[in-house]
Amino acid sequence: MNNFDQLTFDHAPMGLALTEHRIIRSCNATFAAMFGYEKADLIGQSFRLLYGTDQEFHQVRDIGLAPLRQSLPYSDERLMRCADGTRIWCRFRARTLTPDDPLAQAVLSFAVIEDKNSGPQLTNREREVLLLLSQGKTSKEIARDLSLSPRTIEDVRARLLKKFQVKNVAVLLARLSGLSG
């Protein structure tokens, strides 16, 4: 990579990473700073480092594989863990370089959706439920995934609707994805 290309890569306005089988092989300075690491500390590390739990890391593994196998990009929103343990909500995009084995080599981008000082403040549980709702899961499925009762999930959903001042989950998800104001 020439000097200009390296500058462009390192200072892109979003975090960029190249992975092989979910191991970070290269990343830009923006990506490292977003998560509170030095680039050198991330190279060779599993993406597990950036998820709060093993369960989260394994849950997201197969999401988006279908479009990637068709050489299409994949995008979603997910909760990621920073070096200091704080969590940030990110817009995630992926494109594979190996459609027959989508996780063999992938280019990923991350952009923080909301900084820590804007918008409603969410608890870790609210963020977990929101992530699973964004994946199209029902309250019963979320309850099973988080080992909670469906009633607890319904309570969390109600709090989310109230915090975001929306009438239903569809409107909430549309607002978070930038489709409505």
Side-chain angles (χ1 to χ4, degrees):
M1 193 180 299
N2 70 37
N3 199 24
F4 184 75
D5 290 343
Q6 187 65 48
L7 279 171
T8 302
F9 177 74
D10 273 340
H11 299 286
M14 67 193 59
L16 300 172
L18 175 65
T19 63
E20 291 180 331
H21 299 287
R22 303 180 84 191
I23 303 295
I24 301 166
R25 296 299 180 201
S26 180
C27 66
N28 67 359
T30 306
F31 179 87
M34 179 184 302
F35 295 108
Y37 288 95
E38 296 294 324
K39 281 176 52 172
D41 295 332
L42 290 171
I43 306 304
Q45 293 292 322
S46 166
F47 247 86
R48 166 60 184 95
L49 181 70
L50 302 176
Y51 287 92
T53 65
D54 285 335
Q55 181 182 9
E56 285 178 54
F57 177 67
H58 294 296
Q59 279 179 331
V60 301
R61 181 191 179 278
D62 296 333
I63 298 172
L65 288 182
L68 294 175
R69 283 189 179 109
Q70 297 172 26
S71 295
L72 298 171
Y74 173 74
S75 178
D76 70 25
E77 295 174 359
R78 52 184 63 178
L79 192 60
M80 304 298 293
R81 183 180 183 277
C82 296
D84 65 4
T86 60
R87 313 256 291 180
I88 55 174
W89 193 250
C90 294
R91 180 157 291 117
F92 165 81
R93 291 188 171 95
R95 181 175 295 267
T96 185
L97 303 176
T98 53
D100 292 337
D101 184 5
L103 299 178
Q105 284 190 320
V107 177
L108 312 176
S109 73
F110 291 82
V112 176
I113 292 174
E114 109 184 2
D115 67 35
K116 296 170 187 159
N117 298 319
S118 68
Q121 299 301 306
L122 302 179
T123 65
N124 284 341
R125 177 70 70 214
E126 288 167 342
R127 287 185 184 273
E128 285 176 325
V129 170
L130 194 52
L131 173 65
L132 295 170
L133 286 170
S134 74
Q135 296 170 7
K137 294 196 175 198
T138 66
S139 290
K140 284 184 181 180
E141 291 168 329
I142 294 169
R144 188 173 44 249
D145 288 352
L146 299 179
S147 300
L148 297 169
S149 74
R151 180 66 195 152
T152 299
I153 301 306
E154 289 298 326
D155 289 344
V156 173
R157 284 174 66 144
R159 281 198 318 269
L160 287 167
L161 297 179
K162 184 175 181 181
K163 281 186 176 185
F164 285 93
Q165 300 176 351
V166 294
K167 294 181 181 185
N168 60 50
V169 171
V171 174
L172 171 63
L173 295 175
R175 179 169 295 165
L176 290 174
S177 69
L179 297 176
S180 69

